[in-house]
Amino acid sequence: MDWKRSRVMENKTKRQLYERIETQMTGRSVRELDLELFCARSLAEKLDISRNLASQYLNELFYEGKLIKIGAHPTCFLARSALENDGFASVYDNAEDLWNQADQLQEKRSVFSDLIGGNGSLHYAIEQCKAAMNYPGSGLAVLLHGPTGSGKSLLAAKLYDYCVQRGLIGSEGRLITVNCAEYSDNPDFFLTSLFGYTKGAYTGAEKDSEGLLALADKGMLFLDEIHSLTPECQEKLFLFMDKGVYHRVGDNQKWLASTVRFVFATTENPDQALLKTLFRRIPIVIQIPALKERPLTEKRELIRYILETEQTKFKMSVRISESAYRLLEQHEFRHNIGELKNDIQVGMAGAYMKAIKNASPTLDLHISDLPSGLVRNPLRNPLMDQGSVSRLLPLGELLPRGGGESRYLLFYQAAMQNYERFQKHELSLDTFLATTTLQLEQYVDFLFFNNENFSSPQEEIVQSLLANINRPLNKKYGMPELSNNEIKILARYFTDLLQNEPISAVELRRRGRSISDFQETLKTVNPKLVSIANEILPLLQTGLNLPLGAFEEITTTLFFLYFNRGYQPAPIPVVIMAHGYSIASGIAELANQLLHQNIFTAIDMPVESHFETITNKLKQYLSEIRNCHEIIVMVDMGSLEGIQKYIDQTADLDIGIINNVTTKLALDVGAMIMEGDSLETILEQAKQRSLPNYVIIKNRVRPKAILTVCSSGIGIAGKIAALVENSFPKKMDLTVIPIAADTLQHRQASGIFDKYNVILILGTLNLKPQGIPFISIEDIINQSDSWALKEKLGMLMNDEELTVFTQNMVRNFSLDNLIDYLTILNPEKIIVYVEEILEQIQKRLEFTLSNNILIGLYLHISCLIERLIIDKRFVYYLNLEKFEAEHADFIAMIREVFGRVCRAYNVVIPTAEIGYLYNYIVQGKSVEKQVECVEESKSELMESVGFTE
Ligand SMILES: Nc1ncnc2c1ncn2[C@@H]1O[C@H](COP(=O)(O)OP(=O)(O)OP(=O)(O)O)[C@@H](O)[C@H]1O
């Protein structure tokens, strides 16, 4: 069967598997599902495919975001599309957690479901509120703190609904809302309103009157803008909260009681705006985020939600022009959702009038309908491209951009994970930088993939902005100007930021510490590049109206490092000039990259540009160049004479000019510069050496590398890389690089093969890149083909080292998995004991256990110890007496080799457990049930870390 056909078949099976899961779930809530039917084994049986294939597809579907995972023994998979609610997480430790979440989501749907951000940026706030409402008695008072228009009043109303729905407030309990700002100039009026008054309490009080406390009895009192109450009013309020009783104004004798739930709201810092006594009486302060702190998806949802709500009022179908939509999406509303809603309402009223006038059947909202303050300076906003003004989007098309996480977010996560591994000393600085740069490269590949030649109007704006700041940077820092290609890459990156969801404020806060450490680390690598990034970002931020933070600074610095701006200037710099938009920059970049030196600078000569402009650029470059008295200019065919005319008067600089520049010649020249040859020698040699077929450079400069790859994504490939690196028997002169399977498939697209001499690929998926040997991770662990292993790894290590390597792999693989299986024991510690036990057992029994059995035993013994520590349940062993009688030696041996660990953890191994160990070790495969069990747990293990057979 050819490759393509088998791929199609595989995809068909994968689709069937997914459909099977969906069908089995149809019409049932998660509580009604028999989860056993959703594990790899059961699904494989139904579809008549191998269990391993099923688990491979299940894991792929999981990483594609289509399935969620539950538990580990066995792992079950459910289709996200068939779940009764949005908002389920990707992984649950057990069915109980899943069910609890289902209940919570169900509950949320009833009250908080139309609260946008209820499962996102408001999730924690809602959870806190619910806890406060459910507190025994009449709940705890809460204070909602957030800027104006952020949704505090709406949340207060939802809390009331929630209490009613949960029966915390009965049918007689009302929601009374008071805007305290209305009383700020008249505290007495507030007190009479709150507590009520008796006849004659003040002039005009003609009869007794109940106050708000009485009206809100057994219900909820929402006091908005609480900071505007005078201290006296705050004090009185506090006294009531403290005692639960009050007097009406005008009657100091009679005590009245009221059971009220309090919700307060303020836009001010409560620490400063509230009386200490009152503030202390409000135990729960809940932060409501500003609109700009919420993820873009939520803002998009809000826009759509508001438009839809308004649409129902006008009874007309509504469309919005793309540019108006973009403007709403990008604009920073100081008064948050309230202002967004207001502006949309104003816009729709205007659009409605127009529709009526033109007898149009639809209400079309254009930029011109929106309030003028919003459209202040649309040209400053690069998203306001003219081409899109007229495109009208029906509301159904405004769905927030789905499709899981953006590639930038994935890059962010990968880079941060790398950094955290570097912090934990799992990666050296060099490996960390190399791996992160490769991930950046993969992100760049993605930015250019599919639309290599397409550039959007926004991108052109970004590009020209970058081109404008290029020269001052070069002047200030002496950094070679960014080439056209480099500008293009950066422009794509910033355009991607403009068009996609930024990393959420919450996430940035969560990793704030690591991000600033990351910046510090980059400063140690190249402080100059960090300051350059630091300098250009504010300019771009203003120019693009795009918030750029610490992580963007990191990424920009990484881009500079990637462009090879990090290296010391070469002793003899070379300027390449060639006709064409990016021919010269292409050659210069590649040569700099391959030589790992910043030798070449490019001056591109677009065909339409004037020769004089170009030579002026060269003159400028030559006049600015510092600390250097020799330079080489490489020009393309036919430019030699013209150039010569222009530069022969330049003083204090020897200039060599070479005609007919090619990449090969540039590399040649670069290599000689690095060797320290003189200008004359280089020119002379270049003339002679530049013959067809002359090969230098590549092999000499490319460092060796092993790639690790996994179909389940870069995350698992990273795990494999760590596993391999940690298992090397000695320090190896190579880099281990994790790589995503799809990058490997576009071999040309990624620069890995240019930069590294890839000697081996290790992983779970053989993509067969030409001529590079591949070893599967299972082959190493199972040692299933020792000849092949020797052949492929022989170039790196001798036989003895190979044995140590595979032993280490087995140990580290088991350790990786143990982390998922142990709850109380520290896997790193216990594995040392188990390693010793296994070594002893093999020595005493005088035979070598297979790696398969060893992995099983690492797991079994570690879990056995933990089991003995936490629950000392009796283990049943068939014919125990017979076993004791026949295998006394074995039992004694085991007790002896386990001695150290038993003493350390204060446990005793029951003989029945030794019986099982005996079966495991000595009888091996003949104990059918047991082997099945080992195989089972092994498959689960492989599955749980994303490895598939
Ligand atoms: N999460 C949300 N989902 C949908 N609509 C919302 C949400 N939050 C707020 N709104 C809407 O935004 C508008 C402003 O909200 P709200 O009045 O609750 O804000 P606020 O913080 O109380 O403002 P202020 O401080 O000015 O009183 C309201 O029309 C509300 O319905």
Side-chain angles (χ1 to χ4, degrees):
M1 193 187 298
D2 68 28
W3 180 82
K4 269 192 185 151
R5 213 173 127 224
S6 84
R7 201 71 217 156
V8 171
M9 297 272 290
E10 277 177 20
N11 289 342
K12 197 171 147 215
T13 318
K14 186 168 154 185
R15 201 178 56 241
Q16 283 172 342
L17 183 70
Y18 183 68
E19 284 167 0
R20 175 94 214 173
I21 298 178
E22 270 190 323
T23 324
Q24 288 185 167
M25 290 175 69
T26 308
R28 294 189 178 88
S29 70
V30 289
R31 273 201 180 272
E32 292 163 336
L33 299 174
D34 176 1
L35 289 179
E36 296 251 313
L37 298 177
F38 295 87
C39 66
R41 179 197 296 216
S42 157
L43 289 161
E45 271 168 20
K46 295 268 164 33
L47 292 181
D48 203 14
I49 55 176
S50 83
R51 202 197 120 124
N52 286 331
L53 189 66
S55 72
Q56 176 183 333
Y57 288 155
L58 288 169
N59 274 301
E60 283 177 16
L61 288 161
F62 169 73
Y63 283 105
E64 287 162 20
K66 295 190 174 122
L67 299 183
I68 67 166
K69 259 187 192 183
I70 302 109
H73 302 292
T75 306
C76 305
F77 294 83
L78 298 181
R80 198 173 266 291
S81 59
L83 291 166
E84 65 252 41
N85 263 315
D86 292 338
F88 279 92
S90 304
V91 181
Y92 291 90
D93 286 347
N94 50 48
E96 200 65 37
D97 287 355
L98 173 78
W99 294 331
N100 286 342
Q101 168 102 74
D103 292 347
Q104 282 171 11
L105 290 170
Q106 183 61 29
E107 187 183 275
K108 213 177 277 170
R109 189 158 66 158
S110 46
V111 173
F112 300 102
S113 62
D114 57 347
L115 206 55
I116 285 158
N119 291 326
S121 58
L122 293 182
H123 177 74
Y124 182 57
I126 294 174
E127 290 307 310
Q128 274 182 303
C129 285
K130 288 203 297 197
M133 297 300 124
N134 283 304
Y135 198 81
S138 53
L140 295 175
V142 295
L143 172 64
L144 307 177
H145 175 219
T148 176
S150 55
K152 300 182 294 296
S153 309
L154 182 63
L155 182 56
K158 293 282 173 202
L159 291 182
Y160 171 77
D161 293 344
Y162 174 76
C163 288
V164 173
Q165 193 193 53
R166 304 271 303 183
L168 300 169
I169 291 181
S171 53
E172 73 282 20
R174 290 202 271 163
L175 170 68
I176 305 289
T177 299
V178 181
N179 185 350
C180 301
E182 288 171 17
Y183 300 91
S184 59
D185 295 332
N186 196 343
D188 291 340
F189 185 31
F190 175 76
L191 296 176
T192 48
S193 306
L194 186 70
F195 298 118
Y197 53 86
T198 53
K199 189 175 167 189
Y202 59 91
T203 332
E206 287 165 1
K207 55 176 174 94
D208 288 0
S209 173
E210 279 194 332
L212 299 169
L213 284 181
L215 291 178
D217 189 20
K218 301 198 174 58
M220 182 180 281
L221 187 56
F222 171 46
L223 295 175
D224 200 0
E225 316 269 2
I226 180 77
H227 57 271
S228 34
L229 286 187
T230 61
E232 184 202 353
C233 294
Q234 291 191 30
E235 182 74 36
K236 293 242 158 81
L237 188 60
F238 152 73
L239 287 174
F240 165 73
M241 288 174 76
D242 217 28
K243 308 246 175 326
V245 287
Y246 63 99
H247 295 299
R248 278 191 189 155
V249 177
D251 175 4
N252 283 344
Q253 301 302 314
K254 190 169 167 198
W255 286 106
L256 299 169
S258 175
T259 318
V260 180
R261 287 167 184 271
F262 278 102
V263 175
F264 302 99
T266 184
T267 49
E268 308 295 309
N269 179 351
D271 233 351
Q272 287 152 13
L274 297 193
L275 217 58
K276 292 276 164 297
T277 41
L278 177 65
F279 190 34
R280 265 188 240 120
R281 199 67 188 75
I282 308 173
I284 298 189
V285 180
I286 288 158
Q287 294 298 333
I288 310 294
L291 183 54
K292 68 170 186 238
E293 285 186 340
R294 293 170 152 228
L296 187 61
T297 28
E298 278 181 28
K299 193 167 182 191
R300 288 180 176 144
E301 275 181 74
L302 279 162
I303 298 173
R304 178 171 170 170
Y305 174 76
I306 297 170
L307 285 166
E308 278 175 349
T309 316
E310 296 303 310
Q311 175 173 253
T312 54
K313 293 187 194 157
F314 289 102
K315 300 198 171 60
M316 247 177 146
S317 64
V318 170
R319 296 183 302 177
I320 178 167
S321 80
E322 188 165 346
S323 51
Y325 179 62
R326 292 279 159 118
L327 183 60
L328 292 173
E329 202 182 50
Q330 294 297 318
H331 186 77
E332 197 173 297
F333 292 89
R334 283 205 303 125
H335 295 154
N336 301 294
I337 309 174
E339 188 185 349
L340 170 69
K341 186 170 176 179
N342 193 50
D343 284 356
I344 292 180
Q345 283 172 331
V346 171
M348 286 183 77
Y352 178 68
M353 297 310 288
K354 274 194 217 152
I356 299 290
K357 198 164 136 215
N358 302 333
S360 160
T362 52
L363 189 158
D364 296 335
L365 183 64
H366 290 279
I367 274 203
S368 55
D369 300 313
L370 292 168
S372 55
L374 188 71
V375 201
R376 236 172 298 137
N377 193 356
L379 284 180
R380 275 178 59 76
N381 190 327
L383 292 167
M384 293 292 98
D385 60 287
Q386 297 309 309
S388 64
V389 169
S390 52
R391 210 164 93 80
L392 283 160
L393 309 167
L395 299 191
E397 276 185 31
L398 299 187
L399 269 181
R401 202 183 287 249
E405 293 168 317
S406 78
R407 282 303 275 249
Y408 183 50
L409 213 58
L410 291 178
F411 165 68
Y412 160 81
Q413 276 156 353
M416 290 313 298
Q417 271 166 17
N418 271 344
Y419 184 69
E420 281 152 9
R421 286 185 59 203
F422 160 71
Q423 277 184 314
K424 286 193 246 154
H425 307 290
E426 287 173 19
L427 296 181
S428 68
L429 180 65
D430 282 350
T431 313
F432 152 65
L433 285 174
T435 318
T436 312
T437 308
L438 277 165
Q439 274 148 357
L440 185 75
E441 209 166 48
Q442 290 177 26
Y443 172 55
V444 172
D445 283 349
F446 161 78
L447 293 177
F448 281 83
F449 194 62
N450 277 340
N451 51 0
E452 179 89 49
N453 298 314
F454 171 76
S455 80
S456 66
Q458 294 101 301
E459 189 182 321
E460 277 163 27
I461 297 173
V462 183
Q463 213 161 318
S464 69
L465 256 171
L466 284 167
N468 283 341
I469 50 179
N470 204 359
R471 179 154 288 280
L473 278 187
N474 162 267
K475 274 204 159 152
K476 183 160 176 193
Y477 291 98
M479 178 173 103
E481 276 190 42
L482 295 170
S483 70
N484 290 337
N485 270 351
E486 289 166 349
I487 290 188
K488 200 165 170 188
I489 292 177
L490 283 177
R492 282 266 160 111
Y493 161 58
F494 287 110
T495 312
D496 190 47
L497 295 187
L498 275 169
Q499 293 173 342
N500 281 296
E501 173 106 354
I503 304 160
S504 76
V506 179
E507 167 63 20
L508 289 175
R509 263 204 299 276
R510 190 175 75 83
R511 277 211 162 113
R513 185 63 201 269
S514 303
I515 292 176
S516 57
D517 288 351
F518 198 153
Q519 277 175 308
E520 290 306 311
T521 306
L522 286 181
K523 277 187 200 155
T524 64
V525 175
N526 193 315
K528 198 159 133 188
L529 293 185
V530 177
S531 8
I532 298 177
N534 213 331
E535 187 138 332
I536 66 166
L537 287 194
L539 301 174
L540 288 168
Q541 170 151 326
T542 324
L544 301 174
N545 195 11
L546 170 74
L548 297 169
F551 189 71
E552 281 70 40
E553 191 181 303
I554 289 175
T555 314
T556 312
T557 311
L558 290 172
F559 267 118
F560 288 150
L561 283 171
Y562 168 59
F563 298 153
N564 264 313
R565 301 281 151 170
Y567 296 93
Q568 294 297 319
I572 305 180
V574 182
V575 180
I576 299 181
M577 300 176 71
H579 286 93
Y581 184 69
S582 59
I583 306 266
S585 35
I587 298 177
E589 259 163 49
L590 184 65
N592 279 336
Q593 259 180 28
L594 290 175
L595 293 173
H596 282 233
Q597 270 279 345
N598 196 23
I599 296 174
F600 300 91
T601 302
I603 297 184
D604 289 308
M605 302 198 277
V607 187
E608 68 277 8
S609 63
H610 206 273
F611 193 62
E612 217 159 282
T613 328
I614 302 295
T615 46
N616 276 344
K617 270 197 177 180
L618 177 63
K619 269 202 222 166
Q620 172 98 21
Y621 178 80
L622 296 178
S623 70
E624 282 169 4
I625 201 147
R626 283 177 222 137
N627 306 329
C628 156
H629 299 283
E630 287 178 326
I631 185 169
I632 294 175
V633 180
M634 300 183 83
V635 294
D636 67 354
M637 219 164 44
S639 311
L640 186 60
E641 272 178 34
I643 295 287
Q644 215 173 345
K645 248 196 272 163
Y646 276 90
I647 53 173
D648 58 4
Q649 298 126 9
T650 319
D652 198 21
L653 197 63
D654 290 342
I655 303 164
I657 309 172
I658 303 177
N659 206 352
N660 284 356
V661 59
T662 60
T663 311
K664 187 155 76 90
L665 188 56
L667 284 171
D668 222 348
V669 167
M672 285 188 278
I673 292 174
M674 286 166 69
E675 290 284 300
D677 290 346
S678 72
L679 182 68
E680 284 80 10
T681 318
I682 295 171
L683 296 184
E684 191 52 41
Q685 288 288 315
K687 200 170 133 197
Q688 290 172 17
R689 284 199 209 171
S690 183
L691 297 169
N693 293 334
Y694 184 72
V695 184
I696 53 161
I697 312 292
K698 271 205 159 181
N699 287 334
R700 204 178 65 190
V701 292
R702 287 187 311 158
K704 272 194 240 158
I706 291 182
L707 301 187
T708 60
V709 57
C710 175
S711 53
S712 309
I714 186 82
I716 305 296
K719 274 193 175 185
I720 301 179
L723 181 67
V724 171
E725 233 171 340
N726 292 335
S727 304
F728 280 145
K730 58 177 179 187
K731 189 161 171 27
M732 303 294 253
D733 181 22
L734 52 78
T735 313
V736 182
I737 303 167
I739 179 171
D742 54 351
T743 309
L744 192 58
Q745 269 164 329
H746 305 299
R747 202 186 139 154
Q748 290 311 323
S750 81
I752 293 171
F753 295 92
D754 289 335
K755 272 196 215 149
Y756 291 94
N757 173 16
V758 178
I759 51 170
L760 187 65
I761 299 180
L762 260 165
T764 59
L765 183 78
N766 188 359
L767 295 168
K768 299 195 174 64
Q770 276 168 15
I772 301 173
F774 170 86
I775 310 185
S776 92
I777 209 85
E778 291 107 294
D779 281 350
I780 299 182
I781 286 170
N782 298 339
Q783 283 189 297
S784 44
D785 186 350
S786 52
W787 265 111
L789 275 186
K790 240 188 204 173
E791 193 189 314
K792 290 170 189 169
L793 289 167
M795 60 184 153
L796 296 174
M797 45 190 110
N798 61 30
D799 286 1
E800 228 165 79
E801 288 164 343
L802 186 62
T803 316
V804 177
F805 176 63
T806 44
Q807 273 170 2
N808 286 349
M809 284 285 281
V810 168
R811 176 192 190 276
N812 293 334
F813 179 72
S814 312
L815 179 62
D816 262 1
N817 297 318
L818 270 179
I819 291 170
D820 294 335
Y821 279 76
L822 296 180
T823 336
I824 55 162
L825 287 185
N826 173 354
E828 311 245 358
K829 252 184 161 173
I830 187 75
I831 200 140
V832 176
Y833 285 115
V834 179
E835 195 174 20
E836 188 188 295
I837 290 173
L838 289 173
E839 219 180 279
Q840 286 290 321
I841 292 178
Q842 292 182 81
K843 222 173 174 179
R844 305 278 184 102
L845 296 177
E846 291 175 1
F847 68 67
T848 313
L849 292 165
S850 78
N851 284 347
N852 256 343
I853 298 280
L854 278 176
I855 289 180
L857 282 171
Y858 266 118
L859 186 74
H860 178 80
I861 296 176
S862 308
C863 293
L864 164 65
I865 309 284
E866 178 161 297
R867 209 157 18 97
L868 291 175
I869 295 171
I870 47 184
D871 95 353
K872 306 195 186 317
R873 236 181 302 162
F874 177 71
V875 182
Y876 178 73
Y877 186 82
L878 200 64
N879 293 332
L880 186 61
E881 279 165 22
K882 185 163 173 259
F883 172 72
E884 277 174 333
E886 284 174 6
H887 298 290
D889 289 352
F890 184 86
I891 296 171
M893 183 273 283
I894 289 289
R895 290 209 188 283
E896 206 181 319
V897 300
F898 271 70
R900 219 161 78 84
V901 74
C902 287
R903 277 191 300 279
Y905 292 102
N906 193 21
V907 291
V908 178
I909 301 206
T911 317
E913 293 282 7
I914 302 180
Y916 280 105
L917 278 173
Y918 179 82
N919 293 350
Y920 213 129
I921 297 168
V922 181
Q923 298 190 341
K925 291 187 178 91
S926 70
V927 184
E928 222 173 71
K929 188 84 192 132
Q930 188 150 326
V931 168
E932 214 174 77
C933 185
V934 174
E935 286 300 318
E936 172 94 332
S937 61
K938 216 178 78 220
S939 295
E940 294 292 346
L941 276 180
M942 303 285 266
E943 218 175 76
S944 67
V945 290
F947 292 172
T948 48
E949 284 172 301

